[in-house]
Amino acid sequence: MTDIVLKHIETDEALTACFPVMQQLRPALQGPEDFIARVRRMQGDHYRILAAWHDGVPLALAGYRLQENLIYGRFLYVDDLVTTQASRGQNLGARLLAELDGIAMRLGCVKLVLDTGLANALAQRFYFRQGLLTGAMRFSKVLEGVHG
């Protein structure tokens, strides 16, 4: 597929079109309205979605944000990276990551950072092939009675 277009998602209509793709990665999303509401709230923290489109259909998404902390300085954090099951093997994830590298460099970031589950061996192999290395282990716990 050579006519893949990468573009940022700005409208509710485009978010609605992207919902089935994101739901493959985030099955807890309750529907397009929930997805749009969450994205709109997250945009307050500079969250954006970059999508790979073919013939008006989104095939892969990368949700990311610019962050800064005392560990890394300025960095680009990738919240979400997903390619539809039917579109895997077409280098869409690699194209999205390469574009995010460029965005991060233009924004003066020193790192691109993402998390993946310890049991997600296929994603880990993909990330290693893309030049990402493990640098930390994240710990977390569910806070009882608190709902996000």
Side-chain angles (χ1 to χ4, degrees), residues 78-99:
V78 181
D79 292 73
D80 316 290
L81 183 63
V82 60
T83 300
T84 62
Q85 187 72 32
S87 301
R88 293 195 179 136
Q90 299 177 31
N91 293 318
L92 299 176
R95 284 189 60 186
L96 287 168
L97 280 176
E99 185 67 21

Side-chain angles (χ1 to χ4, degrees), residues 14 26 30-31 33 38 59-60 64 71 80 87 104 109 122-123 126 136:
R26 308 288 182 222
Q30 298 298 308
E33 298 80 15
R38 289 182 190 214
L59 303 178
Y64 70 94
I71 298 169
D80 316 290
S87 301
C109 295
L122 291 176
F126 169 74

Side-chain angles (χ1 to χ4, degrees), residues 26 56-57 69 72 77-78 83 93 100 103 105 111 114 125 127 136 141 144 146-148:
R26 308 288 182 222
V57 177
N69 65 23
Y72 305 128
Y77 182 77
V78 181
T83 300
L100 294 180
I103 291 168
M105 288 188 276
K111 279 193 175 214
L114 61 80
R125 286 192 355 226
Y127 297 139
K141 71 176 181 178
E144 297 299 322
V146 178
H147 303 284

Side-chain angles (χ1 to χ4, degrees), residues 18-32 34-35 38 80 82 88:
C18 290
F19 171 72
V21 180
M22 186 64 80
Q23 193 176 37
Q24 289 185 29
L25 180 66
R26 308 288 182 222
L29 290 168
Q30 298 298 308
D34 178 40
F35 175 54
R38 289 182 190 214
D80 316 290
V82 60
R88 293 195 179 136

